[in-house]
Amino acid sequence: MKNATPLRRTLSALAATTLLAGGLLLGQTVTAPTAQAAGKTVVCDVPKMRQQSHELRAKADRLQQLGATGEARKARAQADALDYKIQNCVDAENGHAKPFPG
């Protein structure tokens, strides 16, 4: 490729990389296992989930008082994620949305 212009070399390298990456992605898609939750009913134990959320928030408050702000922030984030799942379960029971949209 001594006579090729820099743009032509760049484009051919880009094309080769794209084809290689596309082949890898296609291979992973073909060999990936199918989702096991498809078609099954998701059961939500809302009272238990609310209890876990409350415990996480209490843990976050204790950690905040001890000065561990990073750990407290992480516990609050876990509680927020749990509250989000609870709300999705409640909405699904009321027929407003599918559980755990993704």
Side-chain angles (χ1 to χ4, degrees), residues 1 4-18:
M1 287 192 142
T5 62
L7 180 62
R8 183 171 289 174
R9 275 185 263 156
T10 303
L11 289 176
S12 63
L14 182 64
T17 304
T18 303

Side-chain angles (χ1 to χ4, degrees), residues 1-71:
M1 287 192 142
K2 291 182 180 179
N3 296 333
T5 62
L7 180 62
R8 183 171 289 174
R9 275 185 263 156
T10 303
L11 289 176
S12 63
L14 182 64
T17 304
T18 303
L19 289 173
L20 186 65
L24 289 174
L25 288 175
L26 181 64
Q28 288 179 353
T29 305
V30 170
T31 60
T34 58
Q36 296 297 322
K40 294 186 179 179
T41 305
V42 177
V43 178
C44 299
D45 188 1
V46 175
K48 183 178 178 183
M49 292 168 73
R50 284 192 175 141
Q51 179 65 31
Q52 289 173 344
S53 174
H54 177 71
E55 290 170 359
L56 282 168
R57 292 196 188 281
K59 177 182 175 182
D61 290 339
R62 284 192 307 273
L63 288 169
Q64 187 70 39
Q65 288 175 352
L66 294 173
T69 57
E71 290 84 357

